[in-house]
Amino acid sequence: MIHKQVVNHRQIAWMVGSVLLTGMLISFFRSVTEIAKMDAWFSQVLPVGYAMLVAYVLAEMTRAYPGKNMFEIIFIVFGKWAGGVVNFVLLLYFWIILTLEIKGATKFFHATLLPQTPVEITLLVLVLMIMYYGKTSLEVAARVNEMYFPVFFLLAMAMYVMLSNEYSIERLEPILNTSLTRIFISNFMTVGIYGDILLFGAFLHASTQSRLFFAALKHGILIVGFVATILLSILLGVMGYTIASRLNFPLFILIQQIHFTDFLDRVEIVLFSIWFPAFAIKVIVTYLAFLVGLGSFGGQANYTVFNFPAGWFIIAASLFAFRCIPDLDEFLSYSLPPIVLILQIPLLLVLYIKSRMSRKESEQACIQEGTKLYRFYRYCVWLGRIAMTASVLTIIIGSLLLNKSKMGGIITAICYVVFFFLALLASYAEMQALNHGKQKLSRKKKPGSFRQ
């Protein structure tokens, strides 16, 4: 079961979008707007960079240990006993993510859509659903996600048009008037969300090409960063930071402000029907990563044997965790980021060094050097790097030099969004170039010699 999973680059990018974005939309925006105020929409650039670094290390691990997942690599690097301790800590971390998302979702359902339904019933139904997917593999979740995430992405980007009659840019002004310290803290808070990218380390065996795997992860991360930036700017432009920072579910209240006609004023139900399947994919991917970690201890290639006991353990743990939404928000905003950094940075540093040392042969390139496609690929890589660096510099320069000028703040904000969008386009072009080169090389091989 564990070695038969094959997921393509597009599925990986869209799953990253579901894993990192959908859980962020429940209540996390409240804490960010409370700290950074009207400049909360600048809170995505540094965590995007951090998630890219994690993705790069995961790609290096794929290159050094092909066919192995992160838990197996940890046993190889650290040994049986020390590796067992490290994997146990990782399982605790995945358990925290699962508990956060499941309890947050059930609290959200109870407060907004199902007030008469006991929280325990909603939690039980949600866990039974992920237990059903726990009998399958990542491929199934990836195919389901392909049906919902593109629609969810398009609806999120269309929010500005749907709320154009309620939007006022004056609620964002003065732009970059918040101190750099508060903007940095808001970026630090968001690291806890983007740290979930480590979940894909449990599925490294599903990738057969490290460069394409990294490009797909990077594209998915930039999708999340750009969409979250746009949604935060819409939230602040419609409600202002004062109201947004006092609501438990600010984005849900924002969607309730959409009114097309007198006959179509419950648009939140339609959008919820698209958001929930994409959110369910996040929980399913986390649960599958948890099962893969459990299977690594018993040497079980078929991790589904742990599905039933693990599911009931998650139910029991979630019932007693985070009694109310403010407790969950405080943990997600202030406790999870240091946990992520303390756990991930030393671990990834060791794994990166060992992966670089263990590379005996260079991986076969997706694109032949010297070709037009290779030059285009390198151009996209450098364009993405320059655009992300320019986004960070735009915030710093705008905050230090132009925060007293209204027009300067507007120009700075436009440059920031343009650079972020350029980085997103460059990542997509990079991913497509690598995939096109891989397909061209595969066609040159003899029939039956290509392993997908």
Side-chain angles (χ1 to χ4, degrees):
M1 173 71 73
I2 199 170
H3 294 290
K4 294 180 181 179
Q5 302 180 31
V6 178
V7 184
N8 63 40
H9 63 288
R10 183 185 63 255
Q11 292 172 332
I12 292 174
W14 288 354
M15 276 196 299
V16 171
S18 293
V19 168
L20 299 185
L21 182 61
T22 53
M24 189 190 307
L25 303 183
I26 295 179
S27 61
F28 180 72
F29 284 174
R30 183 193 68 82
S31 300
V32 174
T33 54
E34 185 179 16
I35 294 297
K37 299 183 179 180
M38 72 284 289
D39 292 324
W41 57 301
F42 295 105
S43 62
Q44 305 297 312
V45 61
L46 292 183
V48 162
Y50 173 77
M52 286 184 185
L53 291 176
V54 177
Y56 179 74
V57 176
L58 294 180
E60 286 294 321
M61 292 164 60
T62 303
R63 187 175 181 179
Y65 304 97
K68 303 289 184 181
N69 61 58
M70 180 174 60
F71 296 100
E72 295 172 329
I73 295 172
I74 287 174
F75 275 120
I76 295 173
V77 172
F78 291 93
K80 180 179 179 181
W81 297 104
V85 173
V86 174
N87 279 334
F88 179 74
V89 174
L90 273 180
L91 284 177
L92 288 179
Y93 170 61
F94 290 172
W95 168 72
I96 290 174
I97 298 174
L98 264 177
T99 306
L100 277 171
E101 299 302 336
I102 292 175
K103 196 58 177 285
T106 53
K107 288 290 185 181
F108 170 72
F109 298 151
H110 181 73
T112 57
L113 300 172
L114 304 171
Q116 303 301 321
T117 304
V119 173
E120 294 80 6
I121 300 300
T122 308
L123 190 149
L124 177 63
V125 172
L126 182 59
V127 175
L128 288 177
M129 179 196 68
I130 67 172
M131 289 174 65
Y132 172 79
Y133 279 92
K135 298 185 297 183
T136 62
S137 67
L138 186 68
E139 286 181 279
V140 178
R143 291 168 184 170
V144 173
N145 188 58
E146 279 190 295
M147 295 187 292
Y148 290 100
F149 183 76
V151 181
F152 172 73
F153 172 79
L154 293 175
L155 289 176
M157 298 304 294
M159 286 283 289
Y160 179 79
V161 177
M162 292 186 285
L163 288 165
S164 58
N165 59 328
E166 304 285 343
Y167 188 85
S168 175
I169 195 173
E170 294 178 355
R171 297 189 179 97
L172 297 176
E173 296 174 344
I175 296 174
L176 285 176
N177 190 56
T178 309
S179 65
L180 272 177
T181 302
R182 284 183 172 270
I183 295 176
F184 175 79
I185 293 174
S186 67
N187 278 266
F188 172 77
M189 293 165 59
T190 316
V191 167
I193 298 290
Y194 282 82
D196 292 357
I197 193 68
L198 190 66
L199 292 169
F200 290 89
F203 311 106
L204 296 182
H205 53 275
S207 173
T208 58
Q209 224 294 330
S210 63
R211 287 190 180 181
L212 187 56
F213 178 67
F214 172 63
L217 290 178
K218 182 167 66 172
H219 181 58
I221 293 165
L222 285 167
I223 288 177
V224 175
F226 185 75
V227 173
T229 298
I230 297 301
L231 290 178
L232 275 168
S233 66
I234 296 171
L235 174 67
L236 294 168
V238 173
M239 295 184 174
Y241 76 89
T242 303
I243 297 177
S245 62
R246 296 178 180 177
L247 298 172
N248 283 332
F249 309 109
L251 203 66
F252 182 78
I253 304 301
L254 175 68
I255 295 173
Q256 287 183 326
Q257 309 308 309
I258 301 175
H259 301 288
F260 290 124
T261 66
D262 294 336
F263 303 99
L264 188 60
D265 59 349
R266 294 301 304 273
V267 183
E268 71 272 11
I269 302 299
V270 178
L271 296 182
F272 172 79
S273 65
I274 301 298
W275 167 83
F276 177 72
F279 170 78
I281 295 300
K282 171 185 175 57
V283 185
I284 291 167
V285 169
T286 308
Y287 184 65
L288 289 174
F290 186 75
L291 291 180
V292 171
L294 288 176
S296 67
F297 279 93
Q300 293 284 343
N302 188 3
Y303 53 79
T304 57
V305 298
F306 300 99
N307 183 32
F308 186 80
W312 288 108
F313 169 73
I314 294 299
I315 291 176
S318 300
L319 283 174
F320 297 100
F322 306 111
R323 295 286 183 177
C324 57
I325 287 294
D327 292 342
L328 190 147
D329 284 345
E330 289 180 4
F331 183 87
L332 187 65
S333 303
Y334 303 106
S335 299
L336 188 60
I339 291 175
V340 167
L341 295 178
I342 293 172
L343 170 65
Q344 292 188 8
I345 290 179
L347 174 63
L348 293 173
L349 183 61
V350 173
L351 291 176
Y352 174 73
I353 294 173
K354 295 296 291 185
S355 297
R356 296 289 293 185
M357 294 173 58
S358 301
R359 286 195 316 181
K360 297 180 181 179
E361 298 180 359
S362 59
E363 184 184 53
Q364 183 180 7
C366 288
I367 308 174
Q368 293 182 352
E369 295 187 12
T371 61
K372 291 182 178 180
L373 186 61
Y374 181 80
R375 289 193 294 270
F376 175 75
Y377 159 72
R378 295 302 303 172
Y379 170 78
C380 293
V381 170
W382 280 105
L383 177 61
R385 293 173 182 174
I386 293 171
M388 286 305 300
T389 305
S391 298
V392 177
L393 293 177
T394 299
I395 297 175
I396 297 174
I397 295 173
S399 180
L400 294 178
L401 302 179
L402 302 176
N403 59 345
K404 296 182 180 180
S405 170
K406 178 180 178 180
M407 183 56 65
I410 294 175
I411 294 174
T412 303
I414 293 174
C415 291
Y416 173 79
V417 174
V418 169
F419 286 136
F420 214 135
F421 186 65
L422 281 177
L424 176 62
L425 291 180
S427 68
Y428 175 77
E430 175 188 347
M431 182 180 68
Q432 291 299 104
L434 287 170
N435 181 61
H436 184 65
K438 177 183 176 181
Q439 292 180 354
K440 288 180 64 177
L441 289 177
S442 66
R443 286 195 293 265
K444 294 179 180 179
K445 296 183 178 181
K446 295 180 180 180
S449 63
F450 174 61
R451 176 180 179 269
Q452 185 175 357

